[in-house]
Amino acid sequence: MNNTPIERLRARMANAGLSAVLVSDIGNVQWLTGFTGSFGFVVAAENVEPVFITDSRYTIQAQEQVQG
């Protein structure tokens, strides 16, 4: 069952035949991570943990809001 946003994203990636995606739309980044800042990216790939990327303005906020 695909419960978490990341699990749902991975299911859609598999259906589309994608091995990796870069999520740049901040609304989708917020949905995937819980991050409420205005700048960030998520890199998701098969068989590895997703990576959240932002700049130094959001270091503390990202540590508090993004798990993993």
Side-chain angles (χ1 to χ4, degrees):
M1 180 177 262
N2 300 323
N3 294 325
T4 70
I6 292 295
E7 289 171 337
R8 286 186 249 166
L9 173 62
R10 284 202 168 132
R12 288 182 179 221
M13 288 170 55
N15 287 339
L18 300 173
S19 60
V21 295
L22 171 66
V23 180
S24 60
D25 177 81
I26 195 62
N28 291 329
V29 171
Q30 290 173 351
W31 175 71
L32 287 168
T33 65
F35 178 70
T36 61
S38 62
F39 180 81
F41 300 95
V42 174
V43 179
E46 292 178 332
N47 304 316
V48 295
E49 288 297 315
V51 176
F52 173 74
I53 302 166
T54 193
D55 64 49
S56 61
R57 295 174 293 168
Y58 298 106
T59 300
I60 294 170
Q61 182 178 357
Q63 289 172 342
E64 292 173 351
Q65 293 180 340
V66 180
Q67 301 298 312

